[in-house]
Amino acid sequence: MTGNQKKHLCRALLRHMAYTTLSCLVLTLCACSDYETFTTSPNDRLTFSADTISLDTIFSQVPSSTRTFWVYNKNKDAIRCTNIKLEKGNQTGFRVNVNGIFLGESQGYQIFDEDIFGGDSIRVYVELTSPKNGGKEPLMVKDNLVFTLESGERQQIELKAWSWDANLLTNPVIENDVVLDISSPTVIYGSLTVKEGACLTLPPGTTLYMHDKAVIDVFGRLLCSGEKDNEVTIRGDRLDRMFDYLPYDGVSGQWGGIVLHESSYDNIIRYTDVHAATDAIVCDSADTARQKLTLSHSTVHNNKGFGIKSDNCKITIENSVISNSLSDCIALYGGNATINNTTIAQFYPFDANRGFALFLSDKMNDSQRGIPSVYVNNSILTGYGENCLGIFIPDSIETDCHFDHCLLRTPKTEIDTTKTTACIFEEIDDTTSAGWKNFAKVDIELLQYDFSLSQKSAAVDAADKATSLPDDRKGNPRDDMPDMGCYELKKESEEK
């Protein structure tokens, strides 16, 4: 190729590139021109995925979870929001992010000239950390997120929540006998420690809110002194919802649990609801001649680890519900346990690899713990599994356990029948009165449970009158033909 031919070729290529670039620029400008057709008609308005954002109840000074909503422009032309602002600025504690822009102090809690093209949308995120309100009860906190359109139209989304002042305690230590002040809610961060020689009393009506991974470490003594119709509750501190149908309080693993350490004895948990923990109650190895724990008229429910784990301790469980744990509902490694009129129900919903309702073993982590001495009377032991009773003790060792007037979901071949008296063994194929059919309600989709007895349960009128407790979980008297489990079924004749 000659030098002149090369020059002509280069010129042709440059002309082509210039033409192509100019064409692309023209097309881009035309496209932008189409998008930049903005409406100022008062009839063209925004549409929102919700008209109110409610953050449920939160504790003041504690950040809420994040809620979100969409802002749609369903018109053909673009809409310019000349201003989007929090109506009360920083007075309420709401925090808002609009399409990736935080409405903070430097912007005066507002943004300007936010464009939403025709048929397009933007997303808004809302959180709240409310200041203290100075009241004893939850108070409503409100604000409005106001959208001012170029047409002059104003649209707004209401933001609201209930804010509740609480005592926020981080790693509190109880060194003397203390009765918890319940004039305001108490939220625990870290560890609530009860020193050896000290006693912490939770009076009737207490609700103790435990933050994520928070635990109650008891080296002294814990008294949960609930009463009939005025119980103690120990739960997580999330008051909001994971989904519309599911409060966080219904999700397991919201906090750590209660640990009764080696030096702790004579703990009493009465008329108390402990739920949504990891390992709800752990009893560390102790002198089996001394009472470690007495649990009565109580509920231990929906835990991500164990319900009750006892390592070579002496414990008593009466008139209680121990239900739904990823690990075993009750696990006894050696020690002594007396269980009477108790419902042990293993319907943990979040993992099919759930443990037993009742687990017995002479070893813990390959360390010898001795033979557990276990006497279970007038109780229900059931769940989803075909076998809800796990006895892991060598056949060569005489097992010191006995089940008297109990409803057991375990094959007869799995248990020495000389260890049972007047027990009812559930038929696995029975889908009308066994398993979850024993109870008023077991709904794993909505996570709603009522472990009072159904009329169809074989546990009705099947307990031993001589050894049954005089009242039930709710403190109601048992009749002349008492029922197995913690709840006495109210007969139709009694309801009339």
Side-chain angles (χ1 to χ4, degrees):
M1 183 180 290
T2 65
N4 286 334
Q5 288 175 323
K6 290 180 179 179
K7 289 180 182 178
H8 286 302
L9 180 60
C10 288
R11 288 171 181 169
L13 287 171
L14 288 171
R15 284 196 298 271
H16 178 73
M17 291 171 62
Y19 174 77
T20 302
T21 302
L22 181 61
S23 298
C24 291
L25 180 60
V26 169
L27 289 172
T28 301
L29 289 172
C30 290
C32 288
S33 178
D34 288 342
Y35 275 112
E36 290 177 357
T37 301
F38 287 86
T39 177
T40 57
S41 169
N43 296 322
D44 293 333
R45 296 167 64 85
L46 299 172
T47 304
F48 304 100
S49 60
D51 57 9
T52 301
I53 301 301
S54 176
L55 297 174
D56 302 310
T57 300
I58 67 167
F59 293 117
S60 57
Q61 300 181 306
V62 177
S64 73
S65 59
T66 302
R67 292 295 176 90
T68 183
F69 66 94
W70 289 93
V71 182
Y72 301 102
N73 177 11
K74 296 185 178 181
N75 304 288
K76 178 182 177 182
D77 296 329
I79 290 179
R80 173 165 291 149
C81 299
T82 58
N83 178 263
I84 303 175
K85 69 175 183 179
L86 273 168
E87 191 170 53
K88 297 180 181 178
N90 67 343
Q91 300 304 303
T92 56
F94 282 102
R95 299 186 302 281
V96 176
N97 183 301
V98 177
N99 202 28
I101 303 174
F102 176 62
L103 277 61
E105 183 178 3
S106 60
Q107 291 91 1
Y109 304 96
Q110 59 187 321
I111 59 173
F112 300 93
D113 297 331
E114 180 68 23
D115 298 341
I116 308 175
F117 296 132
D120 204 353
S121 62
I122 61 173
R123 199 171 189 181
V124 179
Y125 298 86
V126 180
E127 297 175 341
L128 172 65
T129 303
S130 68
K132 281 201 166 188
N133 58 49
K136 295 295 184 182
E137 302 295 330
L139 294 179
M140 178 67 75
V141 178
K142 287 185 178 182
D143 205 341
N144 292 312
L145 185 63
V146 181
F147 295 75
T148 302
L149 312 186
E150 196 169 25
S151 63
E153 290 293 308
R154 283 168 52 96
Q155 295 180 258
Q156 66 184 36
I157 296 294
E158 183 182 40
L159 313 178
K160 65 179 184 179
W162 289 96
S163 175
W164 199 5
D165 285 356
N167 295 320
L168 308 179
L169 304 180
T170 301
N171 297 320
V173 177
I174 307 299
E175 300 191 62
N176 301 295
D177 293 355
V178 170
V179 178
L180 186 71
D181 179 6
I182 60 172
S183 58
S184 297
T186 299
V187 182
I188 302 298
Y189 291 81
S191 173
L192 166 58
T193 302
V194 182
K195 288 282 194 177
E196 187 172 356
C199 177
L200 173 62
T201 299
L202 305 184
T206 299
T207 297
L208 196 59
Y209 297 92
M210 308 296 292
H211 192 61
D212 181 36
K213 298 181 178 61
V215 296
I216 302 176
D217 281 315
V218 184
F219 297 89
R221 191 180 181 207
L222 176 65
L223 298 181
C224 295
S225 303
E227 297 173 347
K228 179 181 178 181
D229 301 323
N230 196 21
E231 298 196 357
V232 170
T233 301
I234 308 176
R235 49 158 291 173
D237 68 343
R238 295 292 297 269
L239 303 177
D240 52 339
R241 292 175 176 268
M242 177 177 284
F243 305 112
D244 288 342
Y245 72 93
L246 178 59
Y248 270 102
D249 194 38
V251 179
S252 62
Q254 292 294 299
W255 57 289
I258 302 169
V259 181
L260 307 177
H261 290 275
E262 182 179 356
S263 59
S264 177
Y265 292 96
D266 298 321
N267 299 282
I268 297 175
I269 299 178
R270 176 177 168 81
Y271 281 110
T272 298
D273 184 337
V274 180
H275 65 269
T278 301
D279 294 329
I281 302 175
V282 174
C283 302
D284 279 351
S285 182
D287 181 355
T288 57
R290 298 181 61 184
Q291 187 75 20
K292 185 79 167 184
L293 169 67
T294 300
L295 181 84
S296 70
H297 299 83
S298 293
T299 296
V300 179
H301 175 68
N302 191 31
N303 298 293
K304 200 172 184 178
F306 293 94
I308 298 176
K309 178 183 176 183
S310 176
D311 177 10
N312 202 51
C313 295
K314 182 179 181 181
I315 66 172
T316 299
I317 303 172
E318 297 178 335
N319 265 339
S320 295
V321 179
I322 318 296
S323 54
N324 293 25
S325 295
L326 176 56
S327 298
D328 311 304
C329 292
I330 301 177
L332 305 174
Y333 299 90
N336 305 323
T338 301
I339 302 172
N340 196 6
N341 278 122
T342 290
T343 298
I344 314 171
Q346 178 57 300
F347 299 103
Y348 187 77
F350 303 113
D351 195 326
N353 193 30
R354 61 185 75 85
F356 293 95
L358 178 61
F359 175 89
L360 310 177
S361 179
D362 65 330
K363 291 183 179 180
M364 183 176 181
N365 299 327
D366 296 325
S367 297
Q368 194 66 41
R369 286 295 186 270
I371 307 302
S373 177
V374 182
Y375 292 87
V376 185
N377 301 325
N378 307 306
S379 295
I380 296 172
L381 192 157
T382 189
Y384 280 133
E386 294 186 0
N387 182 13
C388 294
L389 173 62
I391 301 179
F392 288 80
I393 299 170
D395 293 337
S396 59
I397 299 176
E398 180 68 19
T399 305
D400 185 20
C401 66
H402 196 90
F403 297 86
D404 190 327
H405 286 78
C406 292
L407 178 66
L408 304 175
R409 190 175 181 87
T410 186
K412 287 185 179 181
T413 56
E414 293 292 321
I415 187 170
D416 182 353
T417 54
T418 64
K419 305 295 185 183
T420 65
T421 300
C423 288
I424 301 170
F425 289 85
E426 282 194 340
E427 296 292 337
I428 305 304
D429 296 333
D430 181 0
T431 59
T432 61
S433 61
W436 65 94
K437 296 293 185 178
N438 283 293
F439 307 112
K441 188 171 189 177
V442 175
D443 187 333
I444 63 169
E445 292 185 0
L446 296 179
L447 303 181
Q448 296 176 355
Y449 304 91
D450 180 354
F451 289 110
S452 58
L453 290 174
S454 72
Q455 297 279 355
K456 295 180 180 180
S457 175
V460 176
D461 296 340
D464 182 6
K465 184 177 180 180
T467 57
S468 282
L469 298 169
D471 62 358
D472 72 353
R473 164 68 181 86
K474 295 180 180 179
N476 298 322
R478 295 182 184 271
D479 58 30
D480 289 338
M481 297 182 65
D483 303 331
M484 295 175 176
C486 68
Y487 290 110
E488 184 75 4
L489 179 66
K490 192 171 183 179
K491 308 300 190 296
E492 292 182 0
S493 59
E494 296 174 350
E495 295 176 350
K496 295 179 180 179

